Amino acid sequence: MARMAISLHHIVIDAHDLPGLARFWAEVLGWQVLSEREREVVIGTEPGAPVGICFMPVTDVKTVKNRLHLDLTPGAGPGERDAEIERVLALGARRVDVGQTGTESWTVLADPEGNEFCVVRAKATLIG
C-alpha cells in the first residue's frame, strides 16, 4: 500500500496583535491577507497557495530566542540586500544581536513582536 507524503500547510506564528503582525509580514513578503478571523489570520501569495503563514493568539510574553526562524533572500542585484533590510526596518522590524560576530552573510532582524528572522545573501551569490 502506497503511503501519501505529508505536505507543509502553514507556518504558525504566535502573536499578541494578529492583524498587525499579519499585515507586517504580508508587506515584508509582498503577500496578501487571505483570511482574518478573531483567533486566526492567514497570509499567503494567493488563495489556494500551497503554503501560508498563520497567526494565532498567545498571551505569554516572548522571553528567549526563537528555536525556528525564517531566512529571507532578496534579488541578486547590487545593493538589493541592503535596500531590502532598510525597507523591512521602515515597516517596523529592528536589528537584534543573537551572538553574531559581524562577519556573517546574513543580518538578524526581529518583527514588531520580537520574532527573529534573517535576511541572507541572494542564492545566486552563494554559488561558487
Side-chain angles (χ1 to χ4, degrees):
M1 185 152 89
R3 185 175 153 212
M4 291 187 64
I6 195 164
S7 299
L8 180 62
H9 179 66
H10 285 149
I11 297 167
V12 178
I13 298 177
D14 293 340
H16 292 160
D17 176 7
L18 277 64
L21 200 57
R23 282 190 301 275
F24 168 82
W25 280 104
E27 284 290 320
V28 167
L29 297 169
W31 289 7
Q32 58 186 299
V33 174
L34 300 177
S35 96
E36 190 167 346
R37 300 183 187 121
E38 182 182 342
R39 298 188 50 79
E40 175 187 90
V41 179
V42 176
I43 66 170
T45 56
E46 62 184 3
V51 177
I53 299 178
C54 178
F55 299 86
M56 301 289 292
V58 66
T59 57
D60 58 326
V61 178
K62 182 180 179 305
T63 58
V64 297
K65 179 181 170 291
N66 293 5
R67 293 192 67 181
L68 173 77
H69 70 267
L70 303 178
D71 280 351
L72 308 178
T73 187
E80 284 191 53
R81 182 172 168 272
D82 291 340
E84 278 301 300
I85 289 169
E86 291 307 315
R87 183 184 71 82
V88 172
L89 289 169
L91 291 172
R94 61 185 170 80
R95 294 179 186 272
V96 293
D97 182 355
V98 294
Q100 321 69 304
T101 64
T103 61
E104 294 82 6
S105 61
W106 62 86
T107 299
V108 182
L109 303 176
D111 70 17
E113 292 200 11
N115 300 299
E116 299 90 5
F117 62 98
C118 295
V119 180
V120 302
R121 288 186 299 175
K123 288 184 179 185
T125 64
L126 297 175
I127 299 170

